[in-house]
Amino acid sequence: MSDVWVLVDHDRGAVSKVTQQLLTLARSLAAGTGGSAIAVFVGPGWTGAEALVARFGPAAVLVASSDELAGYQTGPTVEILARLIAERQPWGVLFASTAGGKEVAARVGARLGLGVLADASAVSLDAGQGNRPLVEHAAFGGAQIVRKTLRSAPYLLCVKPNAVTAVEAPGGQPPVEPVDAQLSGAARRVSIVETVSTAAGGRPAVDQAAIIVSGGRGLKEPANFSLVESLADELGAGVGASRAAVDAGWYPHSAQVGQTGKTVSPQLYVAVGISGAIQHRAGMQTAKTIVAINKDADAPIFALADFGIVGDLFTVLPALTAEIHRRKAT
Ligand SMILES: Cc1cc2nc3c(=O)[nH]c(=O)nc-3n(C[C@H](O)[C@H](O)[C@H](O)COP(=O)(O)OP(=O)(O)OC[C@H]3O[C@@H](n4cnc5c(N)ncnc54)[C@H](O)[C@@H]3O)c2cc1C
């Protein structure tokens, strides 16, 4: 089969933005092979997800939905997806390159003996290789960007959020095929006993956000992260942090960007009081546009930045936030 599948990334039917991006990518990859984009939904909440998935143009949707699936981690998804892939042999399967998506892809790959590639920051068709995907991703802690053609059949590819711009393709309601959601005892081995929600302040999570404003040691103390948050809120952005800021206890580790934090590919990344150490760059250098605010004109972050402001962040940030607010109001 020459179809390209997308594993829908969702939380009880609330579909993430990266799924919209993956469906867009699947349409273009499938066009190169004469196949179709197919969405695969596993978990509870299909009725809440249906309309949004349809807007991004899958030719069909395979649905394994039951409330029982809410009680487990990735085991059921791995089992159901591996079964479907083995039976139907798609051309490839796209996953969100998030912790959950990468875990499912790795476990499915290990079960079926398939190649898995994670953290793709760009994907195109390799005409010289029968229109297989040509994938860019960072290697050696971000020191190199490498290009690879995926030859595994099917291939399993994890694509970073915001690597692709989502484009709607409304074509009516695609046919929905219910698939077997029966689980083995092994798939139920790890169950969820408690879910704790962390307050995100209404901001997008750093690994999903299209815009990120990140703060570093230049902020001097934790209270000054409010300057970063104010700018982020004007831009509808997520808030990130350097490891120095996280290690100092100024911001939670879930916001850390870099080699030992999140790797992100937003449309816009604003680095505030961050020097641009190689380990930080490893997590954000594939951002489409990078803006740096730093008082040291020789800071390494400026070598990477598309736009740089050499200045004191305590002057620049309030002025920038006020100006954006003013322009939004007019
Ligand atoms: C194995 C390993 C893994 C690591 N993983 C990560 C990681 O995942 N993410 C990460 O970020 N780091 C990581 N690091 C740490 C990394 O090497 C740097 O130490 C860290 O990124 C520095 O953070 P920073 O830029 O906030 O601080 P600094 O390097 O101290 O930079 C602060 C910057 O703020 C500027 N500044 C100061 N005051 C002002 C002002 N008033 N206005 C404007 N600018 C100002 C300074 O000029 C300076 O450039 C890792 C290190 C190791 C060894």
Side-chain angles (χ1 to χ4, degrees):
M1 290 281 285
S2 48
D3 293 339
V4 179
W5 291 7
V6 171
L7 179 65
V8 174
D9 179 66
H10 68 101
D11 180 10
R12 292 166 192 259
V15 177
S16 68
K17 277 194 183 160
V18 64
T19 297
Q20 303 166 22
Q21 298 156 9
L22 294 180
L23 286 168
T24 305
L25 177 62
R27 295 199 317 261
S28 70
L29 292 177
T33 59
S36 302
I38 307 289
V40 182
F41 183 97
V42 181
W46 166 243
T47 47
E50 189 166 8
L52 195 139
V53 168
R55 272 178 29 212
F56 289 85
V61 192
L62 307 176
V63 176
S65 188
S66 89
D67 288 342
E68 190 206 353
L69 297 173
Y72 300 98
Q73 272 204 310
T74 49
T77 311
V78 170
E79 185 168 277
I80 292 167
L81 188 61
R83 192 162 60 216
L84 284 171
I85 293 173
E87 282 169 12
R88 304 185 187 210
Q89 294 291 314
W91 180 250
V93 186
L94 307 181
F95 301 80
S97 205
T98 56
K102 287 192 274 194
E103 183 181 328
V104 174
R107 291 178 61 185
V108 170
R111 274 188 191 207
L112 301 179
L114 301 176
V116 181
L117 193 56
D119 291 332
S121 54
V123 185
S124 55
L125 289 169
D126 190 343
Q129 294 286 339
N131 274 341
R132 294 199 149 274
L134 178 63
V135 178
E136 279 186 18
H137 75 137
F140 303 114
Q144 301 283 334
I145 300 290
V146 294
R147 288 192 186 84
K148 294 177 177 170
T149 297
L150 279 161
R151 296 217 179 113
S152 161
Y155 59 80
L156 308 181
L157 175 61
C158 305
V159 182
K160 290 211 281 192
N162 302 308
V164 178
T165 304
V167 179
E168 291 190 23
Q173 207 58 42
V176 174
E177 181 186 342
V179 295
D180 186 6
Q182 291 293 315
L183 300 177
S184 69
R188 298 171 206 253
R189 265 201 296 245
V190 181
S191 61
I192 297 171
V193 290
E194 189 186 4
T195 305
V196 180
S197 301
T198 51
R203 297 184 190 100
V206 74
D207 54 355
Q208 300 276 341
I211 304 175
I212 296 170
V213 185
S214 275
R217 186 149 43 198
L219 286 162
K220 307 274 191 278
E221 56 178 86
N224 293 331
F225 254 92
S226 63
L227 295 170
V228 171
E229 290 175 342
S230 298
L231 177 60
D233 290 345
E234 282 301 334
L235 293 168
V239 172
S242 73
R243 177 161 161 181
V246 169
D247 284 353
W250 298 356
Y251 226 67
H253 180 260
S254 56
Q256 183 181 315
V257 173
Q259 188 183 325
T260 44
K262 304 269 165 57
T263 51
V264 297
S265 264
Q267 297 297 317
L268 173 63
Y269 188 89
V270 185
V272 181
I274 291 177
S275 58
I278 180 76
Q279 297 89 353
H280 187 80
R281 287 156 53 169
M284 44 65 74
Q285 64 190 353
T286 54
K288 306 291 178 297
T289 302
I290 297 170
V291 175
I293 304 169
N294 198 302
K295 67 177 183 184
D296 175 7
D298 295 324
I301 191 78
F302 286 124
L304 197 65
D306 299 286
F307 300 95
I309 302 173
V310 179
D312 185 339
L313 69 90
F314 295 102
T315 311
V316 175
L317 271 196
L320 189 57
T321 305
E323 179 61 17
I324 293 169
H325 185 77
R326 190 186 67 75
R327 290 193 188 191
K328 277 167 63 184
T330 54

